[in-house]
Amino acid sequence: MKILDIRVLGDPVLRKETTPVEQVTDEIRTLIAEMFDTMYAAEGIGLAAPQVGRTERVAVMDVEGQRFALVNPEITAREGSSRGEEGCLSIPEVFGDVTRSSRVMVRALNEKGEEVELEGTDLLARCMQHEIDHLDGKLFIDYLSMLKRRSALSKWEKIKDDYPNFIRKVAQEKKGPHHSEGEL
Ligand code: K1U
Ligand code: ZN
């Protein structure tokens, strides 16, 4: 298992457009496996490649047991609207309410390189949109009102020095899908 460093707000990689993956190779599958390990270790429900300093169009998520690796994901349809609180593993301790579509359809390649079309509703839909935003260089704070964004950024200013060089070190995994109770 390899836990990757998470890049935090201020690292330019979080604002870069990602590059579509041409072929799902073993190298991409290794990246996906390490991203899952990192996501579980950080106790998140999703993670996108730029958050670990990579520019491939790849994201992973595990929302209430629905676990997906998405390569080159695109939203093909959306409906409804729902407002809910979001956080971001790249902006620790900062939260804000964001309005998102409540149901989305996402087309992507899976880990095997097969084309899949997935439906997400509620939290899964929110997570899909949050992760696809990361792949387009967008962060949830971009959707906050000027006042809420200012307050989020002022909170971040107070804690950002805990992350020298824009790097968040994540401790070894605490929980994941394959670990039984009491296992280290
Ligand atoms: O991409 C990330 O930064 C991960 C982030 C994704 C997220 C999607 C949708 C809503 C909020 C955040 C997180 O995993 S934040 C932490 C988290 O585990 C969590 C957030 C909301 C509900 C449940 C868990
Ligand atoms: Zn995020």
Side-chain angles (χ1 to χ4, degrees), residues 43-47 51 86-89 123 126-127 130-131 134:
E43 300 192 28
I45 57 171
L47 190 69
Q51 294 181 277
E86 294 194 15
C88 181
L89 297 178
L123 184 58
R126 180 171 296 282
C127 189
H130 181 112
E131 300 313 329
H134 272 301

Side-chain angles (χ1 to χ4, degrees), residues 113-155:
E114 300 162 339
E115 192 170 302
V116 290
E117 185 141 46
L118 304 164
E119 179 190 20
T121 58
D122 306 316
L123 184 58
L124 178 57
R126 180 171 296 282
C127 189
M128 286 167 156
Q129 291 167 85
H130 181 112
E131 300 313 329
I132 291 171
D133 269 355
H134 272 301
L135 301 178
D136 294 329
K138 282 190 226 143
L139 300 171
F140 84 90
I141 53 169
D142 301 344
Y143 297 105
L144 302 181
S145 67
M146 217 205 290
L147 216 62
K148 294 251 171 69
R149 187 182 158 106
R150 205 176 288 161
S151 136
L153 290 176
S154 108
K155 179 157 191 201

